[in-house]
């Protein structure tokens, strides 16, 4: 399997499917089952959320509390990994009244690396506290996964750029910069190019904000990652709209130069890409 960096930089690849928190329609979010289900849904990348137990073990969970996704309650990072590993995960995206059944428990990041290697997918690590960037990158290197994993961070200042480059150099991991593109065109393009990363996670309120930067991003070899998640995307570019009108969302974004898509519906996106040839 080629490195994550080489995969993203491939000039003839098709658009990339990123499964948000894994394929959580088929297994609990941020579970080993969701990683395996994402591979079955033909996702290329699985995005997972990273926290740290009270005894210093990195584990998968989005929220800062246990309430939504497990059968327990309280602060997630106040528990030991032994306690977390015994907690049943609620099905799907969890929430009140959702059953906590099946074999999935709160997994360690190390176990997620093993699952991703076996499933043949890349991992994007969304660390929930910036202090965990270096430990997560170090664990990826320790587990022999640095070439198949990315972490991400905003790049707004020279200090941000220096930290990103230090993490990449120290651990051999791809660090994806995140940037907001606005109507005034005030995106830190110089810093984005200087990261040496092959892609940028782009945030915007209006897709037109990307247009002034498209040529510069392409010239720098920066692929554009966009989230079509209902919770963060403009309604006209959301997953819910894409399920009814994929050309109006995923097709429109592809036409605008976007080639990496984080979605809560990886199966639907993969099928849509099939129709494009």
């Amino acid at each position: 399997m080629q490195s994550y960096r080489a995969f993203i930089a491939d000039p003839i690849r098709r658009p990339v499917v990123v499964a948000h928190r894994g394929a959580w329609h088929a297994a609990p979010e941020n579970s080993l089952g969701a990683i395996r289900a994402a591979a079955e849904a033909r996702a290329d990348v699985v995005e997972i959320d990273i926290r740290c137990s009270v005894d210093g073990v990195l584990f998968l969970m989005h929220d800062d509390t246990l309430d939504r996704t497990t059968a327990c309650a309280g602060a997630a990072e106040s528990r030991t990994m032994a306690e977390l590993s015994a907690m049943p995960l609620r099905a799907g995206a969890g929430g009140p009244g959702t059953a906590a059944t099946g074999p999935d428990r709160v997994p360690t990041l190390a176990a997620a690396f093993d699952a991703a290697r076996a499933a043949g997918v890349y991992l994007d690590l969304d660390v929930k506290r910036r202090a965990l960037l270096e430990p997560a990158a170090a664990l990826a290197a320790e587990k022999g996964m640095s070439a198949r994993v990315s972490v991400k961070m905003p790049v707004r200042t020279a200090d941000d750029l220096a930290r990103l480059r230090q993490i990449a150099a120290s651990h051999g991991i791809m660090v994806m910069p995140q940037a907001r593109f606005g109507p005034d065109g005030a995106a830190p393009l110089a810093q984005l190019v200087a990261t040496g990363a092959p892609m940028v996670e782009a945030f915007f309120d209006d897709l037109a904000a990307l247009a002034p930067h498209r040529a510069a991003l392409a010239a720098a070899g920066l692929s554009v990652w966009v989230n079509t998640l209902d919770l963060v995307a403009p309604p006209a570019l959301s997953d819910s709209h894409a399920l009814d009108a994929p050309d109006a969302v995923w097709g429109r974004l592809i036409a605008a130069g976007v080639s990496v898509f984080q979605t809560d519906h990886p199966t639907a996106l993969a099928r849509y890409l099939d129709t494009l040839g």
Side-chain angles (χ1 to χ4, degrees):
M1 186 174 180
Q2 68 186 144
S3 73
Y4 192 0
R5 175 179 290 273
F7 169 66
I8 292 297
D10 185 345
I12 61 171
R13 67 164 169 79
R14 79 175 195 168
V16 176
V17 179
V18 183
H20 180 231
R21 305 179 194 171
W24 55 263
H25 293 281
E29 71 169 53
N30 278 313
S31 69
L32 302 185
I35 293 173
R36 292 188 287 266
E40 294 170 2
R42 295 186 295 143
D44 305 292
V45 182
V46 180
E47 184 265 1
I48 53 178
D49 301 293
I50 310 303
R51 294 190 176 276
C52 188
S53 68
V54 72
D55 53 342
V57 180
L58 298 177
F59 68 95
L60 275 58
M61 186 165 293
H62 178 272
D63 298 3
D64 58 4
T65 67
L66 301 163
D67 304 53
R68 179 175 63 87
T69 58
T70 79
C72 301
E77 293 184 290
S78 69
R79 303 298 188 96
T80 67
M81 196 63 233
E83 291 174 313
L84 292 163
S85 296
M87 293 179 184
L89 289 168
R90 295 184 187 273
T98 305
T101 59
D104 283 300
R105 301 292 187 268
V106 177
T108 65
L109 178 56
F113 287 150
D114 292 338
R117 181 186 291 110
V121 293
Y122 302 102
L123 287 178
D124 175 72
L125 312 184
D126 187 352
V127 301
K128 306 319 290 183
R129 291 188 289 112
R130 288 189 69 180
L132 300 181
L133 280 167
E134 287 84 357
L139 183 60
E142 179 185 324
K143 292 285 291 182
M145 285 290 285
S146 55
R148 292 175 57 176
V149 172
S150 66
V151 293
K152 53 196 174 188
M153 59 175 285
V155 174
R156 303 186 185 97
T157 68
D159 287 344
D160 292 338
L161 173 60
R163 185 179 184 189
L164 182 153
R165 295 177 72 173
Q166 178 61 36
I167 294 170
S170 298
H171 304 293
I173 194 170
M174 180 167 65
V175 187
M176 177 173 64
Q178 300 168 299
R180 174 163 287 279
F181 293 78
D184 58 357
L189 280 178
Q191 286 98 328
L192 296 179
V193 173
T195 65
M199 65 179 165
V200 55
E201 184 173 18
F203 298 93
F204 50 81
D205 295 320
D206 188 326
L207 181 56
L210 278 180
H213 308 289
R214 182 173 180 177
L217 291 167
L222 276 164
S223 295
V224 177
W225 163 314
V226 164
N227 306 310
T228 56
L229 314 171
D230 286 355
L231 291 177
V232 299
L237 295 173
S238 67
D239 278 340
S240 291
H241 188 33
L243 294 178
D244 294 325
D247 285 331
V249 179
W250 294 321
R252 182 183 172 200
L253 288 166
I254 290 170
V258 176
S259 68
V260 185
F261 296 85
Q262 182 172 207
T263 177
D264 279 319
H265 296 278
T267 298
L269 176 55
R271 287 174 178 166
Y272 173 69
L273 295 177
D274 288 342
T275 70
L276 304 181

